[in-house]
Amino acid sequence: FFLGAYGFICATNIKPDDIMYNTLPLYHSLGGWVCVTYSLLGGCTTVLRKKFSATNFWKDCIKYKCTGFSYVGELCRFLLAQPLSDNDRKHSIRFCAGNGLRQNIWTPFVERFNISQIYEFYAATESNAYFFNLDSHPGACGFYSVAFPSLLGSILVKFDPDTMEPLRDEKTKLCIRCKPGERGLLLGMIKTTLMNAFDGYVNNPSGTNRKIVDNIYKIGDKAFNTGDVICADKYGYFYFCDRTGDTFRWKSENVSTVEVENILTSILKKNDIVVFGVAIPGFDGKAGMAVMLDDPSITTELIKLVQELKTQGLPSYARPCFIRLTKRIELTGTFKVKKTAFQDEAYDLNRVTDPIYYLNQHKQTYQRLTPEIYELILQEEIKF
């Protein structure tokens, strides 16, 4: 608890005269642990707000003369979606720290709100893999030394996109390390030191064992499987790609839900978009489906969406085959979309009353899914 808190204080250079704004839920490790210990250990003032409000965020920061705040990525997206205001630059915020700030939002967020320092980090409560972006490099969630990579204590390895298990060298039976630019599964090397220990899950040995990978660098060593896909560039910067559960396979290609969500958000200027894979009778893998909030202009935007996706360079296999328009998208306390119900209902018109559009491959446009078309899909008469 104290070690992690001290790490954040050192990384962000918190001073006793700083005033931190905390609008995150206190049951979350960032809101209830890190933000609180900024005061307990760092000696600064922390301003608590019971619930996040995009309209009052900058007003509060100005009122309480805040110098920093903590975020999860969607929080920044909500702020960026607000109408332009004089308060955008009247605040005294010099830095913010958190995780999940998407790369396509990073630069517009910095430029609009004039925030000079963003400390993006990667970590998980039980994980022994963690790192910080200390120099505000846009889009990066961390950094490691290219000259001394083993100092990080983590490794990126190639993985099977279907089983999400690490790939092995046929001769050595060891994991295969990723080269710069390759997406890899992040493993945290398990050691007996406090910094690299993995204590496991209380009263759940089977769950603990499922998270441990053997034989990484050498026979007998062990690592914690984070389940996250990371990419590192040639300079040593890490970029979060997606979680293994957020990747699906369609037409023998891997589709990142995060990538598709980012592009749809950029094109449609919508805040709440969730992408996932759905099964289609007669096809292997899962096709992409997007759910977004309905509004009067969306129907017109869907007509030209395919062309916009092509312009943005999204491959044909990654373009959503279905789009559902809904009146409400429920979020968790940390602004993540609750997608389970949407995944379960998929494009089943017997269960969904919201309008659904399907990608007409022949006309290359999105058209309303009717009961007749739905039946043809079930009968495998429609091509995707």
Side-chain angles (χ1 to χ4, degrees):
F1 182 91
F2 288 111
L3 179 65
Y6 183 71
F8 274 90
I9 291 171
C10 292
T12 56
N13 196 29
I14 289 282
K15 303 295 184 183
D17 57 354
D18 277 314
I19 302 175
M20 290 295 295
Y21 184 58
N22 181 13
T23 183
L24 301 178
L26 297 183
Y27 61 76
H28 188 263
S29 57
L30 190 55
W33 168 21
V34 176
C35 290
V36 171
T37 49
Y38 280 147
S39 287
L40 294 179
L41 298 183
C44 74
T45 299
T46 296
V47 177
L48 294 173
R49 182 182 174 90
K50 187 174 183 179
K51 187 176 181 181
F52 168 73
S53 169
T55 56
N56 291 302
F57 188 92
W58 298 115
K59 295 177 184 178
D60 284 348
C61 289
I62 295 170
K63 178 180 179 180
Y64 298 109
K65 300 178 181 179
C66 296
T67 58
F69 67 88
S70 295
Y71 68 86
V72 288
E74 299 304 284
L75 184 150
C76 297
R77 185 160 59 88
F78 290 138
L79 294 177
L80 198 59
Q82 289 294 301
L84 295 175
S85 167
D86 292 338
N87 292 327
D88 290 352
R89 284 173 169 257
K90 282 186 176 181
H91 56 78
S92 303
I93 298 291
R94 64 175 174 84
F95 77 96
C96 57
N99 60 5
L101 180 55
R102 299 186 183 188
Q103 193 166 0
N104 64 325
I105 292 176
W106 188 298
T107 300
F109 187 82
V110 168
E111 292 177 349
R112 175 174 168 179
F113 299 113
N114 191 32
I115 299 176
S116 59
Q117 297 166 302
I118 295 183
Y119 299 110
E120 175 84 1
F121 72 91
Y122 171 88
T125 304
E126 80 276 32
S127 177
N128 64 346
Y130 44 86
F131 28 81
F132 247 104
N133 175 0
L134 295 175
D135 60 352
S136 300
H137 188 79
C141 62
F143 178 82
Y144 77 103
S145 169
V146 177
F148 304 99
S150 60
L151 292 178
L152 178 70
S154 301
I155 182 175
L156 294 179
V157 300
K158 295 184 179 181
F159 64 98
D160 186 309
D162 294 320
T163 64
M164 298 302 173
E165 294 294 326
L167 294 176
R168 303 281 180 173
D169 182 275
E170 293 184 1
K171 293 183 179 180
T172 64
K173 306 302 179 184
L174 301 177
C175 294
I176 304 173
R177 296 183 64 180
C178 291
K179 298 177 181 179
E182 291 183 333
R183 292 156 52 97
L185 182 65
L186 178 67
L187 305 179
M189 298 304 299
I190 298 176
K191 301 177 183 179
T192 55
T193 62
L194 181 62
M195 299 287 287
N196 301 106
F198 170 57
D199 297 320
Y201 304 104
V202 178
N203 298 326
N204 188 6
S206 61
T208 299
N209 293 334
R210 283 197 299 269
K211 298 294 289 186
I212 296 177
V213 178
D214 297 309
N215 308 328
I216 299 88
Y217 287 105
K218 60 183 180 180
I219 300 298
D221 61 6
K222 298 179 182 296
F224 171 78
N225 185 349
T226 67
D228 289 331
V229 180
I230 302 286
C231 178
D233 65 18
K234 62 181 180 180
Y235 302 109
Y237 287 103
F238 282 117
Y239 301 89
F240 182 85
C241 298
D242 49 32
R243 304 195 184 281
T244 50
D246 290 335
T247 300
F248 60 88
R249 198 163 177 81
W250 179 243
K251 295 186 177 181
S252 301
E253 299 284 355
N254 298 322
V255 181
S256 166
T257 60
V258 175
E259 179 185 8
V260 180
E261 288 169 0
N262 284 344
I263 292 178
L264 287 174
T265 298
S266 176
I267 294 173
L268 299 174
K269 311 300 180 187
K270 288 184 172 296
N271 291 325
D272 302 320
I273 296 179
V274 56
V275 174
F276 46 85
V278 293
I280 298 180
F283 292 88
D284 293 329
K286 291 188 176 182
M289 182 170 184
V291 178
M292 60 188 70
L293 292 176
D294 196 0
D295 64 48
S297 65
I298 190 62
T299 305
T300 304
E301 293 174 335
L302 289 180
I303 296 175
K304 56 183 180 181
L305 180 57
V306 175
Q307 185 57 46
E308 292 287 347
L309 292 173
K310 292 180 181 178
T311 302
Q312 292 283 343
L314 189 67
S316 58
Y317 62 81
R319 297 167 198 160
C321 292
F322 299 94
I323 294 179
R324 173 178 171 179
L325 307 180
T326 186
K327 296 296 183 184
R328 184 171 181 268
I329 294 180
E330 190 173 358
L331 303 177
T332 67
T334 52
F335 317 112
K336 295 178 181 178
V337 175
K338 295 183 178 180
K339 65 169 69 175
T340 307
F342 291 129
Q343 288 176 301
D344 185 47
E345 294 171 346
Y347 53 92
D348 188 348
L349 293 186
N350 296 314
R351 304 176 62 187
V352 180
T353 58
D354 293 334
I356 297 177
Y357 291 78
Y358 81 102
L359 179 56
N360 186 318
Q361 295 287 355
H362 178 68
K363 296 183 178 180
Q364 281 296 288
T365 187
Y366 286 97
Q367 295 184 336
R368 183 70 180 264
L369 182 66
T370 63
E372 293 76 19
I373 295 296
Y374 176 68
E375 287 301 321
L376 290 176
I377 293 174
L378 298 182
Q379 296 168 16
E380 304 180 18
E381 297 292 333
I382 301 290
K383 294 183 177 180
F384 287 94

Coordinates of all heavy atoms in Angstrom, one line a residue, residues 167-174 176:
L167 N 3.0 -18.1 -27.2 CA 3.5 -19.1 -28.2 C 4.9 -19.5 -27.7 O 5.6 -18.8 -27.0 CB 3.6 -18.4 -29.5 CG 2.3 -18.0 -30.2 CD1 2.6 -17.3 -31.5 CD2 1.5 -19.2 -30.5
R168 N 5.3 -20.7 -28.1 CA 6.5 -21.3 -27.6 C 7.5 -21.6 -28.8 O 7.1 -22.0 -29.9 CB 6.3 -22.6 -26.8 CG 5.3 -22.5 -25.7 CD 6.0 -21.9 -24.5 NE 5.1 -21.8 -23.3 CZ 5.6 -21.4 -22.1 NH1 6.8 -21.2 -21.9 NH2 4.7 -21.3 -21.1
D169 N 8.8 -21.5 -28.5 CA 9.8 -21.9 -29.4 C 9.8 -23.4 -29.5 O 9.8 -24.1 -28.4 CB 11.2 -21.4 -29.0 CG 12.3 -21.7 -30.0 OD1 12.8 -22.8 -29.9 OD2 12.6 -20.9 -30.9
E170 N 9.8 -24.0 -30.7 CA 9.7 -25.5 -30.8 C 10.9 -26.2 -30.2 O 10.7 -27.3 -29.6 CB 9.6 -25.8 -32.3 CG 8.3 -25.4 -32.9 CD 8.2 -25.9 -34.4 OE1 9.1 -26.6 -34.8 OE2 7.1 -25.6 -35.0
K171 N 12.0 -25.6 -30.2 CA 13.2 -26.3 -29.7 C 13.4 -26.0 -28.2 O 13.6 -27.0 -27.4 CB 14.5 -25.8 -30.4 CG 14.5 -26.2 -31.9 CD 15.9 -25.7 -32.5 CE 15.9 -26.1 -34.0 NZ 17.2 -25.7 -34.6
T172 N 13.3 -24.8 -27.7 CA 13.6 -24.5 -26.3 C 12.4 -24.6 -25.5 O 12.5 -24.7 -24.2 CB 14.2 -23.1 -26.2 OG1 13.1 -22.1 -26.6 CG2 15.4 -22.9 -27.1
K173 N 11.2 -24.6 -26.1 CA 9.9 -24.6 -25.3 C 9.7 -23.3 -24.5 O 8.8 -23.3 -23.6 CB 9.8 -25.8 -24.5 CG 10.0 -27.1 -25.2 CD 9.0 -27.3 -26.4 CE 9.2 -28.6 -27.1 NZ 8.3 -28.7 -28.3
L174 N 10.5 -22.3 -24.7 CA 10.4 -21.1 -24.0 C 9.5 -20.1 -24.8 O 9.2 -20.3 -26.0 CB 11.8 -20.4 -23.8 CG 12.8 -21.3 -23.0 CD1 14.1 -20.6 -22.9 CD2 12.3 -21.6 -21.6
I176 N 8.3 -16.8 -26.8 CA 9.0 -16.0 -27.8 C 8.8 -14.5 -27.6 O 7.7 -14.0 -27.6 CB 8.4 -16.4 -29.2 CG1 8.5 -17.9 -29.4 CG2 9.1 -15.6 -30.3 CD1 7.8 -18.4 -30.7

